[in-house]
Amino acid sequence: DFLLLNSFYQITHALGEELSQLLTAAPAIFTSSDNDYLDIKALSNATGGPAAIIPYKADSRLEDFARSPARETARQTTVMFHGTVSHGRRSARHDAQTEQRGRICERLAPELGGNTSLHCVEKRWPGPADPATALAYTNATLCLVPAGDTPTSRRLFDSMAAGCVPVLLASPASIAPNLPFPASVDWRGAAILGGEPSCALSDAKLNSTGAWLRGLLEPRNARALRCMRTQAQRVFRERLSYRGDGVVSALLYELQHDARYERMLAST
């Protein structure tokens, strides 16, 4: 009888014990950006249904850009990544992530050469609200998207809104369960898989990763990349934007085309 939206990963802490118990007393649909959040897994198991993966909200400047894209012109930047090489949470996983981000700026940049925009800072990056970062998104052909606190991050959706082809630095096994709306979004046509960063950015593979990215940018691939940029931006507007009914429509479509949700809904 009601819809509760929650963006905090520790749901039971945010809701409190009484409301958490109420939500699990009958079938409920939980949404998350990550299937592996412990609270999400526990609550979903208690209600007999999986969490529905939804997108991060893109920056408002890039939302504007996606809805009124300028006439397509040649982009001046080949590869873009802006991020931080420090992390508020300390763990082996987060330390590995920050090291890998540093390698993008320190080790991958020389391999690529040319007109890249690869910048790392020690403290939290100001984000796409920073005019230079927003411009970099809209002026780049390829945008590198390593994992954030979750396998996906806002970078994925900012890239798509900007019409920059996302290069997901992740393995298929780690990223596929955390991409939103697989029933209605053809992710193979909207993003490129670049491989697990622990491998792609390792000393042994760094040269070949740089060569692979340079190969994608060769003139023979220009038309294909333009098509992917257009597709990514269209998918963002129609399915991943929180302006209008795109996300709601995509979520409802997902519920109708997943047998796990159908079983859960049938039991109500």
Side-chain angles (χ1 to χ4, degrees):
D1 294 331
F2 60 89
L3 172 67
L4 178 67
L5 297 177
N6 175 77
S7 61
F8 190 50
Y9 65 96
Q10 292 180 334
I11 296 178
T12 53
H13 176 77
L15 300 181
E17 183 177 350
E18 184 176 358
L19 185 52
S20 298
Q21 290 178 352
L22 176 62
L23 286 173
T24 58
I29 297 167
F30 294 93
T31 62
S32 173
S33 59
D34 188 342
N35 262 315
D36 288 331
Y37 278 149
L38 294 180
D39 279 8
I40 284 287
K41 293 179 76 171
L43 291 170
S44 297
N45 290 338
T47 59
I53 300 300
I54 59 174
Y56 284 84
K57 185 189 179 301
D59 181 82
S60 59
R61 292 181 185 224
L62 298 177
E63 287 258 18
D64 292 340
F65 184 85
R67 295 198 170 275
S68 56
R71 183 174 62 85
E72 182 62 36
T73 58
R75 298 202 168 201
Q76 302 302 311
T77 302
T78 54
V79 182
M80 179 267 187
F81 171 76
H82 289 188
T84 178
V85 291
S86 63
H87 205 293
R89 299 177 194 163
R90 295 305 304 272
S91 68
R93 180 173 69 86
H94 291 133
D95 288 346
Q97 286 178 348
T98 56
E99 180 186 357
Q100 290 157 6
R101 293 175 194 173
R103 281 176 167 264
I104 291 175
C105 299
E106 297 172 9
R107 302 288 303 280
L108 186 58
E111 291 289 335
L112 294 174
N115 299 319
T116 61
S117 180
L118 304 174
H119 300 303
C120 295
V121 295
E122 286 294 330
K123 296 182 179 180
R124 180 175 294 276
W125 191 266
D130 171 55
T133 300
L135 180 62
Y137 270 113
T138 60
N139 201 32
T141 300
L142 301 177
C143 288
L144 301 182
V145 183
D149 290 339
T150 61
T152 60
S153 70
R154 196 172 81 171
R155 290 185 186 92
L156 170 59
F157 308 102
D158 286 340
S159 301
M160 297 176 73
C164 181
V165 177
V167 179
L168 293 163
L169 296 179
S171 66
S174 66
I175 198 67
N178 291 290
L179 290 173
F181 312 141
S184 58
V185 174
D186 178 13
W187 285 102
R188 293 172 299 178
I192 296 173
L193 274 178
E196 187 68 41
S198 59
C199 176
L201 301 176
S202 67
D203 291 337
K205 293 288 187 179
L206 206 59
N207 290 346
S208 59
T209 298
W212 174 69
L213 288 169
R214 292 195 303 271
L216 290 176
L217 294 162
E218 289 180 358
R220 60 189 173 89
N221 294 322
R223 184 175 181 276
L225 289 178
R226 281 197 301 271
C227 290
M228 284 198 78
R229 293 207 308 266
T230 301
Q231 169 76 351
Q233 200 170 51
R234 182 187 65 79
V235 166
F236 174 81
R237 284 196 304 268
E238 295 179 359
R239 289 288 183 265
L240 305 173
S241 171
Y242 283 89
R243 296 184 183 179
D245 59 4
V247 168
V248 174
S249 296
L251 178 57
L252 292 174
Y253 187 86
E254 205 70 21
L255 298 181
Q256 291 173 341
H257 291 79
D258 190 315
R260 297 171 299 175
Y261 294 117
E262 289 180 358
R263 288 194 298 270
M264 185 182 72
L265 294 172
S267 65
T268 59

